[in-house]
Amino acid sequence: MVQEESILQQHSVPEGILLKRYNYLLRFLFKGALAGVGAGVIGAAFRLTLTEGDLWRNNLLIWARGIPIWGWLVLPVIGSLAGGLAGWLTGLAPETAGSGIPHVKAVLINLRRLVWWRVIPVKFIAGALAIGAGLSLGPEGPAVQMGAAAGKAVSDRFSPSKTEELHLIACGAGAGLAAAFNAPLAGAVFVLEELRRNFSPYTLVGALMASVIGDMVSRRILGPLPTFRVMEAWPFLPLTTLPAFLVLGVLAGILGALFNRFLVASLDLGDKLKRIPRWLRALCILFGVGILGYSLPQVLGGGHPLAEAALSGRVAWTLIPILFGAKFLLTMISNSAGVPGGIFLPLLVLGALLGSLVGQVSGLLYAGFQGMVPAFAMIGMAAYFVAILRLPLTGIVLIIEMTGSYQHVMLLIFTCMIAYLVAEALGSRPAYEMLLERDLARLQTDASSPDGKMLMLDFALENGAGACGCRVQDLELPTDCLLVTIRRGGREIIPRGNTRLLDGDHLAVIVPEGRAPLVYRELSRITRGKL
């Protein structure tokens, strides 16, 4: 007994160290809460601004339709002016263009800088102008990037540590997503699944704290109801509907892969149009969007009312292919404009339309499936989300929180997994991964800069990756790349040539600043898991 007590004492952590860790955790959670407050206020204000913008655009359209001859020009002219201003503002902070989530990911791996005092005002104003004028873009990307900027602001004021700074940026990003959709758990899961890929205690508790606080602030300003308020009681789904959801998952996977290919093509088109000033490009695109919106206003903006109509079963199946095609193409054109705006909400709208179509056609073919359209639309949103972004946990949790429905979890998971597998089988890569690599490919830095600045990159070795089971000496590491440590569980290992890599390892790599984009692409290739 005495021998056992002595062994326990040898392996126990001194009380002083435990107290220091506890105090540090409390201070970190306080900073995370501050980041959550900032992200919540900004996210709620952005949502309110976009709601007012939608009302203004709809009222303007009603007024313009009362003018017989030149009324069709009102929305294109005013919208193009707003788009031109949004494009000019974006030129002041080019990192705010598009979703902003790939930029946040690049910041978290030390490849980009985040200037919070520039990102927040430009992203807010330019995003509100572009989406309010009618571009098919969503609020979640801007909310995530502005939330990350709020975390950076807290870090600049209270945290000298670089590691803690990155934690706070990720926490703020998760809180931004939580505020954008009233989905605190989805915000925390998004940080773990997409931004950090790291389930460390500080990442987990910090993301949860910031997301919950951000959601509380948003709900205090906007109200406590779910984002989509369409059903008091969702229809019951028997297991006989499984074949129909199998079809929905396959369609979501195919159309999700198509979405990603068109997304890359639209961004390539935007790159080819770079000779045209950004403000002029946005102005011209929004003039065309205004003309489309005069005859088909449902597809303008993020599309929240259209998603609610699909979830309520109020969109006729004969009209859905037209709305789906128009919304799809408008989303691609909007992404080539080079102004702020996300893809979450547009792709959720497309998923709702797809699910509604499958549900209505299933009801026509089999009378027992009638009345189930809302559930099909809800599950369609999640499946299309997963097919495009390849974030199954985030997609499932997000849709559950946005609709307030927990009763179809089994079919929800089943359909999302089918969509995931189909998209993978078609060779489609996750959207944000492709966007990040495009962003890094455009970085033009001098590998032999006189200051010789070095960067440390962190890579999580995923199950099924090419490097799993390899010895360090067998890795084909890029030139000027040095593997300095391997984090395995709670230990840090100094790698040797015969050290074997295991899934779950975190590789810390030092590389010259100029070669960082190339090294990131090469090491991502061998550390990412494959089915």
Side-chain angles (χ1 to χ4, degrees):
M1 188 71 179
V2 175
Q3 185 178 3
E4 290 180 0
E5 289 180 358
S6 63
I7 293 174
L8 288 174
Q9 288 175 1
Q10 289 175 6
H11 292 278
S12 62
V13 180
E15 185 176 346
I17 294 178
L18 286 175
L19 185 60
K20 286 182 179 180
R21 288 181 181 175
Y22 181 71
N23 289 335
Y24 174 79
L25 180 61
L26 288 180
R27 291 195 301 272
F28 175 70
L29 289 179
F30 173 72
K31 297 169 190 176
L34 289 180
V37 170
V41 170
I42 295 170
F46 192 64
R47 283 178 59 186
L48 280 176
T49 303
L50 293 184
T51 301
E52 291 299 319
D54 287 344
L55 292 174
W56 170 85
R57 188 181 62 246
N58 292 336
N59 291 333
L60 180 66
L61 190 57
I62 293 171
W63 174 77
R65 283 179 170 170
I67 303 172
I69 299 176
W70 52 271
W72 65 275
L73 279 172
V74 173
L75 189 59
V77 170
I78 296 179
S80 63
L81 292 176
L85 180 57
W88 178 80
L89 285 171
T90 306
L92 302 177
E95 67 270 26
T96 62
S99 162
I101 293 176
H103 173 252
V104 173
K105 292 182 66 175
V107 170
L108 292 174
I109 56 176
N110 292 315
L111 292 182
R112 297 294 295 269
R113 293 174 60 246
L114 179 56
V115 185
W116 65 267
W117 50 265
R118 183 173 68 185
V119 165
I120 292 175
V122 172
K123 194 79 173 185
F124 192 106
I125 299 172
L129 286 170
I131 300 172
L135 289 183
S136 181
L137 300 169
E140 76 300 320
V144 168
Q145 192 177 23
M146 290 188 290
K152 180 65 165 63
V154 172
S155 172
D156 285 353
R157 177 64 180 86
F158 296 106
S159 178
S161 165
K162 181 64 176 179
T163 301
E164 192 172 279
E165 173 188 303
L166 298 180
H167 280 313
L168 290 173
I169 289 173
C171 291
L177 181 63
F181 286 134
N182 282 8
L185 188 55
V189 172
F190 178 72
V191 171
L192 299 173
E193 190 176 24
E194 174 65 11
L195 296 182
R196 297 299 279 169
R197 295 174 177 258
N198 180 0
F199 284 75
S200 73
Y202 291 116
T203 301
L204 176 61
V205 297
L208 283 172
M209 172 63 80
S211 297
V212 168
I213 295 296
D215 180 61
M216 289 172 59
V217 171
S218 178
R219 288 175 186 265
R220 183 68 181 87
I221 297 172
L222 302 174
L225 296 175
T227 303
F228 293 121
R229 302 181 289 275
V230 290
M231 298 293 293
E232 291 294 332
W234 292 83
F236 172 74
L237 296 176
L239 286 179
T240 53
T241 59
L242 206 60
F245 283 105
L246 175 63
V247 172
L248 176 57
V250 171
L251 288 176
I254 294 172
L255 293 174
L258 191 66
F259 183 98
N260 285 350
R261 292 187 182 181
F262 271 79
L263 181 62
V264 172
S266 70
L267 294 173
D268 289 340
L269 176 62
D271 289 342
K272 292 177 182 178
L273 297 175
K274 275 191 173 180
R275 292 171 297 178
I276 303 174
R278 191 191 302 266
W279 67 268
L280 183 58
R281 194 194 329 164
L283 184 148
C284 294
I285 287 175
L286 268 158
F287 189 88
V289 168
I291 296 175
L292 173 65
Y294 188 80
S295 56
L296 206 60
Q298 301 98 313
V299 300
L300 296 183
H304 190 279
L306 182 56
E308 288 198 336
L311 285 166
S312 302
R314 291 185 281 110
V315 183
W317 72 271
T318 52
L319 184 60
I320 288 178
I322 298 173
L323 292 173
F324 187 96
K327 186 68 176 175
F328 187 100
L329 292 176
L330 182 57
T331 301
M332 300 305 146
I333 294 170
S334 300
N335 274 281
S336 67
V339 292
I343 61 173
F344 265 42
L345 187 53
L347 67 85
L348 291 177
V349 174
L350 291 170
L353 290 171
L354 178 63
S356 180
L357 177 63
V358 173
Q360 291 185 55
V361 172
S362 299
L364 292 174
L365 296 177
Y366 180 62
F369 289 178
Q370 292 181 1
M372 300 179 182
V373 172
F376 273 89
M378 178 195 75
I379 293 176
M381 284 197 299
Y384 203 56
F385 178 98
V386 170
I388 292 170
L389 301 179
R390 233 58 53 80
L391 301 174
L393 289 178
T394 303
I396 292 167
V397 172
L398 179 67
I399 298 306
I400 288 174
E401 289 189 297
M402 289 180 72
T403 60
S405 172
Y406 296 83
Q407 63 192 80
H408 304 313
V409 173
M410 189 274 289
L411 286 171
L412 182 65
I413 295 173
F414 171 78
T415 311
C416 287
M417 289 300 98
I418 295 298
Y420 187 105
L421 292 172
V422 170
E424 284 283 329
L426 292 173
S428 174
R429 299 178 60 205
Y432 287 138
E433 185 177 308
M434 293 190 302
L435 296 178
L436 174 61
E437 290 195 4
R438 284 179 53 86
D439 188 33
L440 296 180
R442 289 197 297 268
L443 284 177
Q444 298 295 327
T445 55
D446 182 9
S448 57
S449 55
D451 59 359
K453 184 176 180 182
M454 307 292 286
L455 294 178
M456 179 172 287
L457 308 182
D458 185 87
F459 298 86
L461 191 57
E462 300 176 3
N463 187 30
C468 278
C470 291
R471 294 179 299 177
V472 171
Q473 64 190 26
D474 297 328
L475 291 178
E476 297 180 0
L477 296 176
T479 308
D480 297 331
C481 170
L482 178 63
L483 176 62
V484 289
T485 60
I486 300 172
R487 292 202 312 276
R488 181 174 296 166
R491 299 182 301 140
E492 283 201 354
I493 301 171
I494 304 299
R496 297 181 180 180
N498 61 352
T499 303
R500 197 168 293 276
L501 301 178
L502 306 177
D503 63 79
D505 286 351
H506 280 259
L507 314 181
V509 177
I510 291 180
V511 62
E513 182 180 27
R515 292 185 54 80
L518 174 63
V519 170
Y520 177 80
R521 290 196 298 272
E522 288 297 316
L523 288 184
S524 293
R525 180 177 56 83
I526 64 174
T527 57
R528 293 286 170 86
K530 298 178 182 178
L531 290 178

